[in-house]
Amino acid sequence: AAKSGEAVVSTQSTGGSPYVTELETMDKYGAEFCVHGDDITLSADGTDTYQIVKDAGRYKECKRTQGVSTTDLVGRMLLMTRANSTSQSSDSGIPSQEEFVSPYTKACNLLQTNNKITQFSSPANEPRPGDRIVYTAGAFDLMHPGLVDFLEAAKKEGSYLIVGLYEDHVVNEYKGSQYPIQILQERVLSVLANRNVDEVLIGAPYPLTEEVLDHFKIDVVVQGIITEGDHDTDHYAVARKRGIYKQIDSGNPLTTDDLVLRIISNRKQFMARNRAKQLKELNNIKKMAEIEAAKSGEAEAPACSTSSN
């Protein structure tokens, strides 16, 4: 919504909202317009779930990020019980590339570009004189509420927040062969989109180095009270030595491991969910193609003429 061209006055989340968006719901929360991606959203009977707000002129659409979908991520987590979390097979509820044709939930590689990074980033923001610069680093795999709350707490330790993101192989080494769930390029976009983050260090050194502290003029290095993975070394040792290390409590204990366990413990349910979603999307694509074909046929049909003798 914030990138749709309109000013956003406030941000609020609500629960129990109807799947088919209604004007009454929007009016209840003072929403001027509704925003959705350019992917298919149809109800069980094939109705456009946003047709009501479209007809009212209160709908805006933004381009979906290709190569990333919730269904794909759920499939990767389902495969955490296998050897490789990013391999694709029918066991995840998502068929292989050869079998799968939906452009919305198919498994594919995210093709990173500088323009895409710019779209997810806040306007260029250099530290100002007097700013207290905060640094933290990690995998930030799946941007869940636990990570969001941690970043908010980290930002409160200063006025300029830099987040270091570790390379995939680094995360793999301290968390295990099945991690990370998201590749570095995906994790970069997720962190950049967070409003509390001012700068992202892509491929941050592990452990933290003196060079990073000096280059970015770091005032404080923060770490959450909950850490994931097996860290053989104190990766914040240089910060402790300088007396700028601080451990913080965001108040939210949720971790990426927690989410993975939820998915795996409900494996059959989510496999059925993925397959059903895939079938629904394929049917919707077919139906929309038929509608377009019918419209084209009507436009090309010659007009009937009458003649008199």
Side-chain angles (χ1 to χ4, degrees), residues 60-109:
K60 294 181 182 294
E61 190 170 275
C62 55
K63 188 171 180 59
R64 182 189 176 101
T65 304
Q66 295 182 349
V68 181
S69 76
T70 303
T71 302
D72 180 26
L73 293 178
V74 169
R76 297 185 203 179
M77 285 185 275
L78 289 174
L79 286 169
M80 294 291 279
T81 55
R82 297 170 67 89
N84 191 328
S85 66
T86 58
S87 65
Q88 296 300 324
S89 78
S90 57
D91 193 40
S92 70
I94 303 178
S96 65
Q97 288 282 21
E98 291 73 19
E99 301 173 274
F100 196 69
V101 295
S102 172
Y104 303 109
T105 57
K106 68 180 180 181
C108 59
N109 294 324

Coordinates of all heavy atoms in Angstrom, one line a residue, residues 60-109:
K60 N -6.8 -0.7 -5.9 CA -5.5 -0.4 -6.5 C -4.7 -1.7 -6.6 O -4.8 -2.5 -5.7 CB -4.7 0.7 -5.8 CG -5.4 2.1 -5.8 CD -4.6 3.1 -5.0 CE -5.3 4.5 -5.0 NZ -5.3 5.0 -6.4
E61 N -3.9 -1.8 -7.6 CA -3.1 -3.0 -7.8 C -1.6 -2.7 -7.9 O -1.2 -1.7 -8.5 CB -3.6 -3.7 -9.1 CG -3.1 -5.1 -9.3 CD -3.8 -5.8 -10.5 OE1 -4.9 -6.3 -10.3 OE2 -3.3 -5.7 -11.6
C62 N -0.8 -3.6 -7.3 CA 0.6 -3.4 -7.4 C 1.2 -4.7 -7.9 O 0.6 -5.8 -7.8 CB 1.2 -3.1 -6.0 SG 0.8 -4.3 -4.7
K63 N 2.3 -4.6 -8.6 CA 2.9 -5.8 -9.2 C 3.5 -6.7 -8.2 O 4.2 -6.4 -7.3 CB 4.0 -5.4 -10.2 CG 4.6 -6.5 -11.0 CD 5.5 -6.0 -12.1 CE 6.1 -7.1 -13.0 NZ 5.0 -7.9 -13.6
R64 N 3.2 -8.0 -8.3 CA 3.7 -9.0 -7.4 C 5.1 -9.4 -7.7 O 5.6 -9.3 -8.8 CB 2.8 -10.3 -7.6 CG 3.2 -11.5 -6.7 CD 2.4 -12.7 -7.1 NE 2.8 -13.8 -6.3 CZ 2.1 -14.3 -5.3 NH1 0.9 -13.7 -5.0 NH2 2.5 -15.4 -4.6
T65 N 5.9 -9.7 -6.6 CA 7.3 -10.0 -6.8 C 7.4 -11.4 -7.4 O 6.9 -12.4 -6.7 CB 8.0 -10.0 -5.4 OG1 7.9 -8.7 -4.9 CG2 9.5 -10.3 -5.6
Q66 N 7.9 -11.6 -8.6 CA 8.0 -12.9 -9.2 C 9.0 -13.7 -8.5 O 10.0 -13.3 -8.1 CB 8.3 -12.7 -10.7 CG 7.2 -12.0 -11.5 CD 7.6 -11.9 -12.9 OE1 8.7 -12.2 -13.3 NE2 6.6 -11.6 -13.8
G67 N 8.7 -15.0 -8.4 CA 9.7 -16.0 -7.8 C 9.5 -16.2 -6.3 O 10.2 -17.0 -5.7
V68 N 8.5 -15.5 -5.7 CA 8.3 -15.7 -4.3 C 6.8 -15.9 -4.0 O 6.0 -15.1 -4.5 CB 8.8 -14.4 -3.4 CG1 8.5 -14.6 -2.0 CG2 10.2 -14.2 -3.7
S69 N 6.4 -16.9 -3.3 CA 5.0 -17.1 -3.0 C 4.9 -17.8 -1.6 O 5.8 -18.6 -1.3 CB 4.3 -17.9 -4.0 OG 4.6 -19.3 -4.0
T70 N 3.9 -17.6 -0.9 CA 3.7 -18.3 0.4 C 3.6 -19.8 0.2 O 4.1 -20.6 0.9 CB 2.4 -17.8 1.0 OG1 2.4 -16.4 1.2 CG2 2.2 -18.5 2.4
T71 N 2.9 -20.2 -0.9 CA 2.7 -21.6 -1.2 C 4.1 -22.3 -1.4 O 4.4 -23.4 -0.9 CB 1.8 -21.9 -2.4 OG1 0.6 -21.2 -2.2 CG2 1.6 -23.3 -2.7
D72 N 5.0 -21.6 -2.1 CA 6.3 -22.1 -2.4 C 7.1 -22.3 -1.0 O 7.8 -23.3 -0.8 CB 7.1 -21.2 -3.3 CG 8.5 -21.7 -3.6 OD1 8.7 -22.9 -3.5 OD2 9.3 -20.8 -4.0
L73 N 7.0 -21.3 -0.2 CA 7.7 -21.3 1.1 C 7.2 -22.4 2.0 O 7.9 -23.1 2.7 CB 7.6 -20.0 1.8 CG 8.3 -18.8 1.2 CD1 8.1 -17.5 2.0 CD2 9.8 -19.0 1.0
V74 N 5.8 -22.6 2.0 CA 5.3 -23.7 2.8 C 5.8 -25.1 2.2 O 6.2 -26.0 3.0 CB 3.7 -23.7 2.7 CG1 3.1 -25.0 3.3 CG2 3.2 -22.5 3.5
G75 N 5.9 -25.2 0.9 CA 6.5 -26.4 0.3 C 7.9 -26.6 0.7 O 8.3 -27.8 1.0
R76 N 8.7 -25.6 0.8 CA 10.1 -25.7 1.3 C 10.1 -26.2 2.7 O 11.0 -27.1 3.1 CB 10.8 -24.4 1.2 CG 11.0 -23.9 -0.2 CD 11.8 -22.6 -0.2 NE 11.5 -21.7 -1.4 CZ 12.1 -20.6 -1.6 NH1 13.0 -20.1 -0.7 NH2 11.9 -19.9 -2.6
M77 N 9.2 -25.7 3.6 CA 9.2 -26.2 5.0 C 8.8 -27.6 5.1 O 9.3 -28.3 5.9 CB 8.4 -25.2 5.8 CG 9.0 -23.9 6.1 SD 8.1 -22.8 7.2 CE 7.0 -22.0 6.0
L78 N 7.8 -28.0 4.2 CA 7.4 -29.4 4.3 C 8.5 -30.3 3.9 O 8.6 -31.5 4.3 CB 6.2 -29.6 3.3 CG 4.9 -28.9 3.7 CD1 3.8 -29.1 2.6 CD2 4.3 -29.6 5.0
L79 N 9.4 -29.8 3.1 CA 10.5 -30.6 2.6 C 11.7 -30.7 3.7 O 12.7 -31.3 3.4 CB 11.1 -30.1 1.3 CG 10.2 -30.5 0.1 CD1 10.6 -29.7 -1.1 CD2 10.2 -32.0 -0.2
M80 N 11.5 -30.0 4.8 CA 12.5 -29.9 5.8 C 12.8 -31.3 6.4 O 13.8 -31.6 7.1 CB 12.1 -29.0 6.9 CG 12.1 -27.5 6.5 SD 13.7 -26.8 6.1 CE 14.3 -26.4 7.8
T81 N 11.8 -32.2 6.2 CA 12.0 -33.6 6.7 C 12.8 -34.4 5.7 O 13.1 -35.6 6.0 CB 10.6 -34.3 6.9 OG1 9.9 -34.2 5.7 CG2 9.8 -33.6 8.0
R82 N 13.1 -33.8 4.6 CA 13.9 -34.5 3.6 C 15.3 -33.9 3.6 O 15.7 -33.1 4.4 CB 13.2 -34.4 2.2 CG 11.8 -35.0 2.2 CD 11.1 -34.7 0.9 NE 11.8 -35.3 -0.3 CZ 11.5 -36.5 -0.7 NH1 10.6 -37.2 -0.1 NH2 12.1 -37.0 -1.8
A83 N 16.1 -34.3 2.6 CA 17.5 -33.9 2.6 C 17.7 -32.5 2.3 O 18.6 -31.8 2.8 CB 18.3 -34.8 1.6
N84 N 16.9 -31.9 1.5 CA 17.1 -30.5 1.0 C 15.9 -29.7 1.0 O 14.9 -30.1 0.4 CB 17.7 -30.6 -0.5 CG 18.2 -29.2 -0.9 OD1 17.7 -28.2 -0.5 ND2 19.2 -29.3 -1.7
S85 N 15.9 -28.6 1.7 CA 14.6 -27.8 1.9 C 14.2 -27.1 0.7 O 13.1 -26.6 0.5 CB 14.8 -26.8 3.0 OG 15.8 -25.9 2.7
T86 N 15.1 -26.9 -0.3 CA 14.8 -26.1 -1.5 C 14.6 -27.0 -2.7 O 14.2 -26.5 -3.8 CB 15.9 -25.1 -1.8 OG1 17.1 -25.8 -2.0 CG2 16.1 -24.1 -0.7
S87 N 14.7 -28.3 -2.6 CA 14.4 -29.2 -3.7 C 12.9 -29.3 -3.9 O 12.2 -29.2 -3.0 CB 15.0 -30.6 -3.5 OG 14.4 -31.2 -2.4
Q88 N 12.5 -29.5 -5.1 CA 11.0 -29.6 -5.4 C 10.6 -31.0 -5.7 O 11.3 -31.7 -6.5 CB 10.7 -28.7 -6.6 CG 11.0 -27.2 -6.3 CD 10.2 -26.7 -5.1 OE1 9.1 -27.1 -4.9 NE2 10.8 -25.8 -4.4
S89 N 9.5 -31.5 -5.2 CA 9.0 -32.8 -5.5 C 7.5 -32.7 -5.1 O 7.1 -31.9 -4.4 CB 9.7 -33.9 -4.7 OG 9.2 -33.9 -3.4
S90 N 6.8 -33.7 -5.6 CA 5.4 -33.8 -5.3 C 5.1 -34.0 -3.8 O 4.0 -33.8 -3.3 CB 4.7 -34.9 -6.1 OG 5.3 -36.2 -5.8
D91 N 6.1 -34.4 -3.1 CA 6.0 -34.7 -1.7 C 5.7 -33.4 -0.9 O 5.2 -33.4 0.2 CB 7.2 -35.4 -1.1 CG 7.0 -35.9 0.3 OD1 5.9 -36.5 0.5 OD2 7.9 -35.8 1.1
S92 N 6.0 -32.3 -1.5 CA 5.8 -31.0 -0.8 C 4.4 -30.4 -1.1 O 4.0 -29.4 -0.5 CB 6.8 -30.0 -1.2 OG 6.6 -29.6 -2.6
G93 N 3.7 -31.1 -1.9 CA 2.4 -30.5 -2.3 C 2.5 -29.6 -3.5 O 1.6 -29.1 -4.1
I94 N 3.8 -29.4 -4.0 CA 4.0 -28.5 -5.1 C 4.8 -29.4 -6.2 O 5.9 -29.8 -5.9 CB 4.9 -27.3 -4.8 CG1 4.2 -26.5 -3.7 CG2 5.1 -26.5 -6.0 CD1 5.0 -25.3 -3.3
P95 N 4.2 -29.6 -7.3 CA 4.8 -30.4 -8.3 C 6.1 -29.8 -8.9 O 6.4 -28.6 -8.6 CB 3.8 -30.5 -9.5 CG 2.5 -30.3 -8.8 CD 2.8 -29.3 -7.7
S96 N 6.9 -30.5 -9.6 CA 8.1 -30.0 -10.2 C 7.8 -29.0 -11.2 O 6.6 -28.8 -11.7 CB 8.9 -31.2 -10.8 OG 8.2 -31.7 -11.9
Q97 N 8.8 -28.3 -11.7 CA 8.6 -27.2 -12.7 C 8.0 -27.8 -13.9 O 7.2 -27.1 -14.6 CB 10.0 -26.6 -13.1 CG 10.6 -25.8 -12.0 CD 10.0 -24.4 -11.9 OE1 8.9 -24.2 -12.4 NE2 10.7 -23.4 -11.3
E98 N 8.3 -29.0 -14.3 CA 7.8 -29.6 -15.5 C 6.3 -29.8 -15.4 O 5.5 -29.7 -16.4 CB 8.5 -30.9 -15.9 CG 9.9 -30.7 -16.3 CD 10.8 -30.4 -15.1 OE1 10.4 -30.6 -14.0 OE2 11.9 -29.9 -15.4
E99 N 5.8 -30.1 -14.2 CA 4.4 -30.5 -14.0 C 3.6 -29.2 -13.7 O 2.4 -29.2 -14.1 CB 4.2 -31.4 -12.8 CG 5.0 -32.7 -12.9 CD 4.9 -33.5 -11.6 OE1 5.7 -33.2 -10.7 OE2 4.0 -34.3 -11.4
F100 N 4.2 -28.2 -13.2 CA 3.4 -27.1 -12.6 C 3.4 -25.9 -13.6 O 4.4 -25.6 -14.2 CB 4.1 -26.6 -11.3 CG 3.2 -25.7 -10.5 CD1 2.1 -26.2 -9.9 CD2 3.5 -24.4 -10.4 CE1 1.3 -25.4 -9.2 CE2 2.7 -23.6 -9.6 CZ 1.6 -24.1 -9.0
V101 N 2.2 -25.3 -13.8 CA 2.1 -24.2 -14.8 C 1.6 -23.0 -14.3 O 1.5 -22.0 -15.0 CB 1.2 -24.7 -16.0 CG1 1.9 -25.8 -16.7 CG2 -0.2 -25.1 -15.5
S102 N 1.1 -22.9 -13.0 CA 0.5 -21.7 -12.5 C 1.7 -20.7 -12.3 O 2.7 -21.0 -11.7 CB -0.2 -21.9 -11.1 OG -0.5 -20.7 -10.5
P103 N 1.5 -19.4 -12.7 CA 2.5 -18.4 -12.6 C 2.5 -17.8 -11.2 O 3.4 -17.0 -10.9 CB 2.2 -17.4 -13.6 CG 0.7 -17.5 -13.7 CD 0.4 -19.0 -13.5
Y104 N 1.6 -18.2 -10.3 CA 1.5 -17.5 -9.0 C 2.1 -18.3 -7.9 O 2.6 -17.7 -6.9 CB 0.0 -17.2 -8.7 CG -0.6 -16.4 -9.8 CD1 -1.6 -17.0 -10.7 CD2 -0.3 -15.1 -10.0 CE1 -2.1 -16.2 -11.7 CE2 -0.8 -14.3 -11.1 CZ -1.7 -14.9 -11.9 OH -2.3 -14.2 -12.9
T105 N 2.1 -19.6 -7.9 CA 2.6 -20.3 -6.8 C 3.7 -21.3 -7.2 O 4.1 -22.2 -6.5 CB 1.5 -21.1 -6.0 OG1 0.9 -22.0 -6.9 CG2 0.5 -20.2 -5.4
K106 N 4.2 -21.2 -8.5 CA 5.2 -22.2 -8.9 C 6.5 -21.9 -8.2 O 6.8 -20.8 -7.7 CB 5.4 -22.1 -10.4 CG 6.0 -20.7 -10.9 CD 6.2 -20.7 -12.4 CE 6.8 -19.4 -12.9 NZ 6.9 -19.4 -14.3
A107 N 7.3 -23.0 -8.1 CA 8.6 -22.8 -7.5 C 9.6 -22.4 -8.5 O 9.8 -23.0 -9.6 CB 9.0 -24.2 -6.9
C108 N 10.3 -21.3 -8.3 CA 11.2 -20.8 -9.2 C 12.3 -19.9 -8.5 O 12.1 -19.6 -7.3 CB 10.6 -20.0 -10.3 SG 9.7 -18.6 -9.8
N109 N 13.3 -19.6 -9.2 CA 14.4 -18.8 -8.6 C 14.0 -17.3 -8.6 O 13.5 -16.9 -9.6 CB 15.7 -19.1 -9.3 CG 16.2 -20.5 -9.1 OD1 16.0 -21.1 -8.0 ND2 16.8 -21.1 -10.1

